[in-house]
Amino acid sequence: MAVPTDEEINYSDIEKKYQVKLEEGFDNILVVDGVPIIDRSKLDKLLAKIAKEFTRKGSAIKPEDIAVPWNEQTGKNTGYIFVEFRNADEATHALSTMNGHQFDSRHTFVINRFTDIERFANVEEKYVEPEREEYHPKEHLRAWLADPQGRDQYVTYRGDEVTVRWQGKPSQCEVAYSNPQTLRTELYVSWSPLGTYLATVHRQGIRLWGGPSFEHQARFFHPMVRLIDFSPNEQYIVTWSNESIVITDATPVGPQYFSAEDEGNNTAVWDIKSGHLLRTFSISPPEGEGKKQMAWPSLKWSPDDKYVARVTPGQQISVYELPGMGLQGKKSMKIEGVIDFEWCPLGDKDREDAGKASADGKGAKKVRENMLAYWTPEVANQPARVTLVNFPSRATLRQKNLFNVTECKLYWQNQGDFLCVRVDRHTKTKKSIFCNLEIFRVREKDFPVEVVELKADTVMDFSWEPKGERFAIVSSNDPNLGNPGPGITVKTDVSFYQLDRGKNDFKLLRTLSSRTTNTIRWSPRGRHVVLATVGSMAKSELDFWDLDFNTDDLGRREGQKEVDWGSGIQQLGVADHYGVTDVEWDPSGRYLATAASSWTHRLENGYAVWDFRGLEIEKHLLDFFKQFLWRPRPPSLLTKDQKRQIRKNLREYSRTFEEEDAAEESNVSAELVALRKRLVDEWNAWRTRCMEEVSNVIRVKGKKVETSRQDEEREEIEVWVEEVIEQVEEVVED
Amino acid sequence: MNRRLSRHERSLTQIRYNKDGDLLFSCSKDHVINVWFSHNGERLGTYDGHNGTVWTIDVDSQSRFLVSGSADNEMRLWEVSTGKCLFVWEFPTAVKRVAFNEEDDQIVCITEQRMGYQGAIRVFDVNRDDGRNQDTEPTSIFHPIGSKPTVCAFSYMPGMILTGHESGKVALFDAKTGEEVLNNERAHMDIVTDLQLSEDRSYFITSSKDKTARIHDAKTLTVLKTFSTETPLNSAALARGAPYVLLGGGQEAMSVTTTSLRQGKFETRFWHKIFEEEVGRVKGHFGPLNTIAVHPAGMGYASGGEDGFVRVHHFDESYFKAKPYGDIEILD
């Protein structure tokens, strides 16, 4: 094939493409139209006036900077002038301040850049149809759920690397995605609540990634963003920065970007699918108590993504309706003294009902309205109060008065069945503090409230069993509580409570006393719970407990007998992860991950994965390890009947699984043996080469090649030692 | 089975077996060099004379001469059998590493970079006929440019010196010209703390504060194997007659209090040389391990710790019999 010479190749297309656009140098010149038409006698006066007007608006110019084109035939000017500024920035400023300026009653300035005039003049007259973009099929955002082995994913952030991995059987743990060129972050990573998107935080804003190859999905331009929060159904995202939004000339214009009216705010709400900015707020961390952390999320979403609410402490709760982000009902809920509130989560049943209702067209069954609970402290003569309100009807459902309250905390069970209010109360003298749990049974008529008295204990952690009727608390009487110091471990008690269906109250199941536990982690499927000592350098225990050890999963829901009250609680295992900072269950409840993050300390950073019995599956010690996050799963699509069917045929399934496991095991060991053989062969081959070379070198040196050690004569020295132990002289008498 | 030799007063800096494996030499920060019977841990004698931390020692293959380097800026030559000091070389700075060559007729030594003096590598010829009559001037001296050397040894190639550096570099120098013939800048990410040769000097193992130990080809400086642990390493040795490497280290003395002892950082770790897998650990020391030496016939090993103890271990029968990876022949 003949290679074309340089002259033969036509480079014109490339040259055209890469032609350097020369700086025209007229960026500092503006064309001002709409100038009064006058004759020469008034020119000086006019120019002085124009210069003054410009200077008054902050763009200092002199009459000499103005060039006036003159129509010689009429002896008058043409109605437009050229104004030269010192530089392009000043011209830009003048353009923004003086464009549309009312010069007098009949004249309004219309200003353009000199460089633009030419461009506008050259605009093609004929309309050209924009080229149709080719359709690119997008990857399925929930493809990971279709994994044939039913594995779960997690993301790790270490050093600068963001890696997504699969967790399954030992042979199936592998990297799902890692690409340091694209998928990277500057602060941390976060999954959206249903696991569809992975968010990375950058100096310029947020990026979302999704699909099997983690393609770029969306970006939200929020400079210096620090915190993010997704709405429960992944339709919206909230971002917060500690720095106020600043609008500069470089800020692009469009629905995806901040505009002048957002200036000074620091919190933004975005639509994920369109990428549009919906609204910004100004939310500042509580002042005064400098050390107190800002409560995040500061905008709380209703579980159906329809509303987002924020509290102005002491005054009101403002609820905004999506997607318009207008105040619902045009006014906030004025509640004197309100401190905090929580939305009631939707249960699986509520979702089903909502699904049915929308399918039927008109609600066959009335769908439960959104509900929120808030509390107010003692104000003036009014006692402290916890209130349940329906929304959007704003009807008060239940109110409970409380006395001697220092602090309240609201905990909803994840199905919205129960609301527990942890009330820290003080004695009359205000010297000591004790704790009460006020439990609202939300599904029942009139919302009965029951009180669990804990006497002098301080409750450090409270946690509902997901989908269950049990909860666990960590309480403490330790005098060291509240003055943390190095080497101090607070002694705590862990107690389990369960709803007694017969008496309709919560009864103590069991207390595990004298522990160091400070963290409770329920398995997302309930039943299993891990008690962990987190954030301590001295203790780092992980205790794995089963609360239904005696009953199998099938019979559990149907009949809890009075007889085995509390006896089903059984410890499955104990483990230890030195310096643990995070403990999280995977969404299926099969694995528990613990991590020691370098954000907290620098000792033995890394992560470990355990099974639900506390057996270590893998452990990695990695310097600069920062974050471990399981990928959440959306609710199951299987109906109740289908699930029951699967449970019934469990034996069948497990048989196939066991067969698979066995086949795989033999496969793996064969592979490993082959790998080892290969390594040994490589080594031996290299060694043989080496030895030859060494003996060559020695031969060159002119010495005889030493034979190997085995032939070397081994000198054996035998030493006879004679020792006289005792000498006795005896006279033998005949 | 192990035996603990009565201790030095301060932390150990280096230990060495002689070629027959019957003697064990140890030096420490307490200025004294000891020699022990390796089979029972009885002390045979001492080599007194240094006035500073003795950083390094080496013994020739005939167990006639012992060379030592110290923080008192001296390198001394001793008669092994009598404990007499035969010769003293003086330098402007401390001696950090010494080593004999294979023929026992040359010594290489590294002196510290300090007080305006550059770090230097010197090579001396040894007069084996009359130990007291040595040349005070080195046959060659050179100053490696860049990161300073921390460890060194003669390669199997005549006149070639292997070095490990503070930056993690491993290099090969021509002893005569001082020319850097070859280097691997990224061999380690942190200080190279030890360098020990295979029996035929054709490959070597290095340990580093970057928590890894690596086996390198002595000719090409290619990294052949990597052993990644979770603690900074101070020493690495090649087992003889078995496919293992021995690694030792631990957190620095100053950060020890913040680490839990049960995490077992002060153990000798055995790794499989070929498969790069950890196969076992031996406990014992109360502080970081500073130095490990393997018996030349592979009968056992010794470790010296920050705690001032030298622990001598003899391998059990089961160590030689056990074949955890099946019956495979691996060349030493």
Side-chain angles (χ1 to χ4, degrees), chain A residues 697-718:
Chain A
V697 168
I698 295 174
R699 219 171 283 135
V700 168
K701 274 192 218 166
K703 285 208 289 179
K704 83 168 198 288
V705 179
E706 241 181 85
T707 44
S708 65
R709 175 197 310 281
Q710 273 84 358
D711 307 335
E712 211 175 289
E713 267 178 55
R714 221 190 161 106
E715 202 182 339
E716 267 193 35
I717 304 167
E718 226 171 298

PDB file of all heavy atoms in Angstrom, chain A residues 697-718:
ATOM      1  N   VAL A 697      29.906 -17.221  37.774  1.00  0.00           N
ATOM      2  CA  VAL A 697      30.636 -16.106  38.375  1.00  0.00           C
ATOM      3  C   VAL A 697      31.790 -16.636  39.202  1.00  0.00           C
ATOM      4  O   VAL A 697      32.911 -16.140  39.138  1.00  0.00           O
ATOM      5  CB  VAL A 697      29.692 -15.242  39.233  1.00  0.00           C
ATOM      6  CG1 VAL A 697      30.494 -14.270  40.076  1.00  0.00           C
ATOM      7  CG2 VAL A 697      28.718 -14.507  38.341  1.00  0.00           C
ATOM      8  N   ILE A 698      31.503 -17.675  39.972  1.00  0.00           N
ATOM      9  CA  ILE A 698      32.543 -18.225  40.843  1.00  0.00           C
ATOM     10  C   ILE A 698      33.673 -18.817  40.001  1.00  0.00           C
ATOM     11  O   ILE A 698      34.853 -18.651  40.303  1.00  0.00           O
ATOM     12  CB  ILE A 698      31.946 -19.281  41.785  1.00  0.00           C
ATOM     13  CG1 ILE A 698      30.947 -18.581  42.729  1.00  0.00           C
ATOM     14  CG2 ILE A 698      33.032 -19.983  42.580  1.00  0.00           C
ATOM     15  CD1 ILE A 698      30.185 -19.508  43.619  1.00  0.00           C
ATOM     16  N   ARG A 699      33.289 -19.476  38.916  1.00  0.00           N
ATOM     17  CA  ARG A 699      34.304 -20.080  38.051  1.00  0.00           C
ATOM     18  C   ARG A 699      35.209 -18.988  37.468  1.00  0.00           C
ATOM     19  O   ARG A 699      36.425 -19.146  37.414  1.00  0.00           O
ATOM     20  CB  ARG A 699      33.622 -20.856  36.919  1.00  0.00           C
ATOM     21  CG  ARG A 699      34.328 -22.154  36.606  1.00  0.00           C
ATOM     22  CD  ARG A 699      33.502 -22.988  35.631  1.00  0.00           C
ATOM     23  NE  ARG A 699      32.379 -23.650  36.263  1.00  0.00           N
ATOM     24  CZ  ARG A 699      31.144 -23.690  35.747  1.00  0.00           C
ATOM     25  NH1 ARG A 699      30.862 -23.041  34.634  1.00  0.00           N
ATOM     26  NH2 ARG A 699      30.186 -24.330  36.361  1.00  0.00           N
ATOM     27  N   VAL A 700      34.569 -17.871  37.103  1.00  0.00           N
ATOM     28  CA  VAL A 700      35.352 -16.766  36.545  1.00  0.00           C
ATOM     29  C   VAL A 700      36.351 -16.270  37.580  1.00  0.00           C
ATOM     30  O   VAL A 700      37.489 -15.950  37.280  1.00  0.00           O
ATOM     31  CB  VAL A 700      34.412 -15.620  36.101  1.00  0.00           C
ATOM     32  CG1 VAL A 700      35.198 -14.359  35.798  1.00  0.00           C
ATOM     33  CG2 VAL A 700      33.608 -16.068  34.897  1.00  0.00           C
ATOM     34  N   LYS A 701      35.909 -16.228  38.815  1.00  0.00           N
ATOM     35  CA  LYS A 701      36.784 -15.767  39.879  1.00  0.00           C
ATOM     36  C   LYS A 701      37.975 -16.699  40.060  1.00  0.00           C
ATOM     37  O   LYS A 701      38.909 -16.384  40.790  1.00  0.00           O
ATOM     38  CB  LYS A 701      36.004 -15.722  41.202  1.00  0.00           C
ATOM     39  CG  LYS A 701      35.253 -14.433  41.406  1.00  0.00           C
ATOM     40  CD  LYS A 701      34.771 -14.364  42.845  1.00  0.00           C
ATOM     41  CE  LYS A 701      33.397 -13.745  42.941  1.00  0.00           C
ATOM     42  NZ  LYS A 701      32.806 -13.969  44.264  1.00  0.00           N
ATOM     43  N   GLY A 702      37.898 -17.860  39.453  1.00  0.00           N
ATOM     44  CA  GLY A 702      39.032 -18.773  39.502  1.00  0.00           C
ATOM     45  C   GLY A 702      39.058 -19.642  40.724  1.00  0.00           C
ATOM     46  O   GLY A 702      40.105 -20.054  41.196  1.00  0.00           O
ATOM     47  N   LYS A 703      37.879 -19.890  41.243  1.00  0.00           N
ATOM     48  CA  LYS A 703      37.826 -20.785  42.398  1.00  0.00           C
ATOM     49  C   LYS A 703      36.998 -21.997  42.022  1.00  0.00           C
ATOM     50  O   LYS A 703      36.213 -21.967  41.089  1.00  0.00           O
ATOM     51  CB  LYS A 703      37.174 -20.075  43.576  1.00  0.00           C
ATOM     52  CG  LYS A 703      38.093 -19.069  44.206  1.00  0.00           C
ATOM     53  CD  LYS A 703      37.770 -18.875  45.662  1.00  0.00           C
ATOM     54  CE  LYS A 703      36.485 -18.135  45.872  1.00  0.00           C
ATOM     55  NZ  LYS A 703      36.147 -17.948  47.255  1.00  0.00           N
ATOM     56  N   LYS A 704      37.206 -23.025  42.757  1.00  0.00           N
ATOM     57  CA  LYS A 704      36.428 -24.199  42.400  1.00  0.00           C
ATOM     58  C   LYS A 704      35.020 -24.078  42.989  1.00  0.00           C
ATOM     59  O   LYS A 704      34.828 -23.488  44.055  1.00  0.00           O
ATOM     60  CB  LYS A 704      37.138 -25.469  42.869  1.00  0.00           C
ATOM     61  CG  LYS A 704      36.939 -25.861  44.309  1.00  0.00           C
ATOM     62  CD  LYS A 704      37.469 -27.283  44.446  1.00  0.00           C
ATOM     63  CE  LYS A 704      36.965 -27.984  45.674  1.00  0.00           C
ATOM     64  NZ  LYS A 704      37.464 -27.595  46.933  1.00  0.00           N
ATOM     65  N   VAL A 705      34.115 -24.570  42.194  1.00  0.00           N
ATOM     66  CA  VAL A 705      32.721 -24.449  42.601  1.00  0.00           C
ATOM     67  C   VAL A 705      32.487 -25.330  43.811  1.00  0.00           C
ATOM     68  O   VAL A 705      32.782 -26.529  43.795  1.00  0.00           O
ATOM     69  CB  VAL A 705      31.795 -24.874  41.450  1.00  0.00           C
ATOM     70  CG1 VAL A 705      30.355 -24.767  41.877  1.00  0.00           C
ATOM     71  CG2 VAL A 705      32.073 -24.015  40.233  1.00  0.00           C
ATOM     72  N   GLU A 706      32.007 -24.681  44.838  1.00  0.00           N
ATOM     73  CA  GLU A 706      31.776 -25.438  46.061  1.00  0.00           C
ATOM     74  C   GLU A 706      30.620 -26.397  45.860  1.00  0.00           C
ATOM     75  O   GLU A 706      29.601 -26.045  45.275  1.00  0.00           O
ATOM     76  CB  GLU A 706      31.407 -24.471  47.180  1.00  0.00           C
ATOM     77  CG  GLU A 706      32.375 -24.502  48.334  1.00  0.00           C
ATOM     78  CD  GLU A 706      31.930 -23.536  49.409  1.00  0.00           C
ATOM     79  OE1 GLU A 706      31.102 -23.937  50.232  1.00  0.00           O
ATOM     80  OE2 GLU A 706      32.393 -22.379  49.379  1.00  0.00           O
ATOM     81  N   THR A 707      30.839 -27.580  46.290  1.00  0.00           N
ATOM     82  CA  THR A 707      29.727 -28.515  46.218  1.00  0.00           C
ATOM     83  C   THR A 707      28.748 -28.173  47.326  1.00  0.00           C
ATOM     84  O   THR A 707      29.096 -27.508  48.291  1.00  0.00           O
ATOM     85  CB  THR A 707      30.221 -29.960  46.390  1.00  0.00           C
ATOM     86  OG1 THR A 707      31.163 -29.969  47.458  1.00  0.00           O
ATOM     87  CG2 THR A 707      30.868 -30.460  45.118  1.00  0.00           C
ATOM     88  N   SER A 708      27.563 -28.609  47.149  1.00  0.00           N
ATOM     89  CA  SER A 708      26.525 -28.190  48.082  1.00  0.00           C
ATOM     90  C   SER A 708      26.760 -28.792  49.462  1.00  0.00           C
ATOM     91  O   SER A 708      27.513 -29.735  49.643  1.00  0.00           O
ATOM     92  CB  SER A 708      25.155 -28.605  47.553  1.00  0.00           C
ATOM     93  OG  SER A 708      25.074 -29.999  47.518  1.00  0.00           O
ATOM     94  N   ARG A 709      26.087 -28.208  50.380  1.00  0.00           N
ATOM     95  CA  ARG A 709      26.308 -28.494  51.773  1.00  0.00           C
ATOM     96  C   ARG A 709      26.190 -29.975  52.146  1.00  0.00           C
ATOM     97  O   ARG A 709      26.920 -30.478  53.000  1.00  0.00           O
ATOM     98  CB  ARG A 709      25.307 -27.699  52.608  1.00  0.00           C
ATOM     99  CG  ARG A 709      25.356 -27.999  54.062  1.00  0.00           C
ATOM    100  CD  ARG A 709      24.100 -27.491  54.715  1.00  0.00           C
ATOM    101  NE  ARG A 709      23.876 -26.099  54.315  1.00  0.00           N
ATOM    102  CZ  ARG A 709      24.533 -25.082  54.861  1.00  0.00           C
ATOM    103  NH1 ARG A 709      25.431 -25.317  55.783  1.00  0.00           N
ATOM    104  NH2 ARG A 709      24.294 -23.857  54.491  1.00  0.00           N
ATOM    105  N   GLN A 710      25.286 -30.664  51.492  1.00  0.00           N
ATOM    106  CA  GLN A 710      25.013 -32.050  51.877  1.00  0.00           C
ATOM    107  C   GLN A 710      26.266 -32.922  51.830  1.00  0.00           C
ATOM    108  O   GLN A 710      26.440 -33.846  52.620  1.00  0.00           O
ATOM    109  CB  GLN A 710      23.940 -32.665  50.958  1.00  0.00           C
ATOM    110  CG  GLN A 710      22.522 -32.400  51.435  1.00  0.00           C
ATOM    111  CD  GLN A 710      22.031 -31.031  50.960  1.00  0.00           C
ATOM    112  OE1 GLN A 710      22.776 -30.288  50.308  1.00  0.00           O
ATOM    113  NE2 GLN A 710      20.807 -30.695  51.285  1.00  0.00           N
ATOM    114  N   ASP A 711      27.144 -32.588  50.824  1.00  0.00           N
ATOM    115  CA  ASP A 711      28.329 -33.427  50.666  1.00  0.00           C
ATOM    116  C   ASP A 711      29.427 -33.081  51.662  1.00  0.00           C
ATOM    117  O   ASP A 711      30.380 -33.834  51.844  1.00  0.00           O
ATOM    118  CB  ASP A 711      28.889 -33.275  49.241  1.00  0.00           C
ATOM    119  CG  ASP A 711      27.800 -33.539  48.234  1.00  0.00           C
ATOM    120  OD1 ASP A 711      26.867 -34.267  48.608  1.00  0.00           O
ATOM    121  OD2 ASP A 711      27.866 -32.984  47.115  1.00  0.00           O
ATOM    122  N   GLU A 712      29.265 -31.912  52.252  1.00  0.00           N
ATOM    123  CA  GLU A 712      30.282 -31.480  53.191  1.00  0.00           C
ATOM    124  C   GLU A 712      30.401 -32.505  54.314  1.00  0.00           C
ATOM    125  O   GLU A 712      29.399 -33.003  54.822  1.00  0.00           O
ATOM    126  CB  GLU A 712      29.852 -30.129  53.773  1.00  0.00           C
ATOM    127  CG  GLU A 712      31.006 -29.249  54.128  1.00  0.00           C
ATOM    128  CD  GLU A 712      30.466 -27.908  54.564  1.00  0.00           C
ATOM    129  OE1 GLU A 712      29.968 -27.158  53.695  1.00  0.00           O
ATOM    130  OE2 GLU A 712      30.518 -27.634  55.771  1.00  0.00           O
ATOM    131  N   GLU A 713      31.624 -32.779  54.672  1.00  0.00           N
ATOM    132  CA  GLU A 713      31.796 -33.794  55.715  1.00  0.00           C
ATOM    133  C   GLU A 713      31.402 -33.202  57.051  1.00  0.00           C
ATOM    134  O   GLU A 713      31.803 -32.102  57.412  1.00  0.00           O
ATOM    135  CB  GLU A 713      33.243 -34.263  55.746  1.00  0.00           C
ATOM    136  CG  GLU A 713      33.450 -35.485  54.876  1.00  0.00           C
ATOM    137  CD  GLU A 713      34.892 -35.914  54.879  1.00  0.00           C
ATOM    138  OE1 GLU A 713      35.423 -36.126  55.997  1.00  0.00           O
ATOM    139  OE2 GLU A 713      35.478 -36.003  53.800  1.00  0.00           O
ATOM    140  N   ARG A 714      30.666 -33.948  57.717  1.00  0.00           N
ATOM    141  CA  ARG A 714      30.255 -33.493  59.024  1.00  0.00           C
ATOM    142  C   ARG A 714      31.126 -34.194  60.041  1.00  0.00           C
ATOM    143  O   ARG A 714      31.203 -35.413  60.088  1.00  0.00           O
ATOM    144  CB  ARG A 714      28.787 -33.857  59.239  1.00  0.00           C
ATOM    145  CG  ARG A 714      28.026 -32.765  59.913  1.00  0.00           C
ATOM    146  CD  ARG A 714      26.673 -33.287  60.320  1.00  0.00           C
ATOM    147  NE  ARG A 714      26.118 -32.411  61.348  1.00  0.00           N
ATOM    148  CZ  ARG A 714      25.136 -31.548  61.113  1.00  0.00           C
ATOM    149  NH1 ARG A 714      24.613 -31.456  59.926  1.00  0.00           N
ATOM    150  NH2 ARG A 714      24.675 -30.814  62.085  1.00  0.00           N
ATOM    151  N   GLU A 715      31.784 -33.390  60.811  1.00  0.00           N
ATOM    152  CA  GLU A 715      32.705 -33.961  61.790  1.00  0.00           C
ATOM    153  C   GLU A 715      31.918 -34.319  63.032  1.00  0.00           C
ATOM    154  O   GLU A 715      31.201 -33.492  63.584  1.00  0.00           O
ATOM    155  CB  GLU A 715      33.751 -32.905  62.116  1.00  0.00           C
ATOM    156  CG  GLU A 715      35.011 -33.490  62.659  1.00  0.00           C
ATOM    157  CD  GLU A 715      35.990 -32.380  63.013  1.00  0.00           C
ATOM    158  OE1 GLU A 715      35.845 -31.249  62.468  1.00  0.00           O
ATOM    159  OE2 GLU A 715      36.878 -32.633  63.817  1.00  0.00           O
ATOM    160  N   GLU A 716      32.062 -35.545  63.416  1.00  0.00           N
ATOM    161  CA  GLU A 716      31.385 -35.917  64.659  1.00  0.00           C
ATOM    162  C   GLU A 716      32.413 -36.182  65.725  1.00  0.00           C
ATOM    163  O   GLU A 716      33.365 -36.944  65.529  1.00  0.00           O
ATOM    164  CB  GLU A 716      30.509 -37.144  64.430  1.00  0.00           C
ATOM    165  CG  GLU A 716      29.102 -36.722  64.094  1.00  0.00           C
ATOM    166  CD  GLU A 716      28.093 -37.840  64.164  1.00  0.00           C
ATOM    167  OE1 GLU A 716      28.231 -38.714  65.026  1.00  0.00           O
ATOM    168  OE2 GLU A 716      27.168 -37.797  63.332  1.00  0.00           O
ATOM    169  N   ILE A 717      32.244 -35.540  66.785  1.00  0.00           N
ATOM    170  CA  ILE A 717      33.201 -35.724  67.874  1.00  0.00           C
ATOM    171  C   ILE A 717      32.508 -36.448  69.010  1.00  0.00           C
ATOM    172  O   ILE A 717      31.457 -36.016  69.481  1.00  0.00           O
ATOM    173  CB  ILE A 717      33.719 -34.359  68.365  1.00  0.00           C
ATOM    174  CG1 ILE A 717      34.316 -33.585  67.193  1.00  0.00           C
ATOM    175  CG2 ILE A 717      34.725 -34.537  69.484  1.00  0.00           C
ATOM    176  CD1 ILE A 717      34.560 -32.133  67.493  1.00  0.00           C
ATOM    177  N   GLU A 718      33.108 -37.548  69.379  1.00  0.00           N
ATOM    178  CA  GLU A 718      32.533 -38.284  70.497  1.00  0.00           C
ATOM    179  C   GLU A 718      33.344 -37.981  71.731  1.00  0.00           C
ATOM    180  O   GLU A 718      34.565 -38.079  71.725  1.00  0.00           O
ATOM    181  CB  GLU A 718      32.576 -39.778  70.191  1.00  0.00           C
ATOM    182  CG  GLU A 718      31.266 -40.466  70.505  1.00  0.00           C
ATOM    183  CD  GLU A 718      31.273 -41.884  69.987  1.00  0.00           C
ATOM    184  OE1 GLU A 718      31.398 -42.063  68.753  1.00  0.00           O
ATOM    185  OE2 GLU A 718      31.183 -42.787  70.811  1.00  0.00           O
TER     186      GLU A 718
END
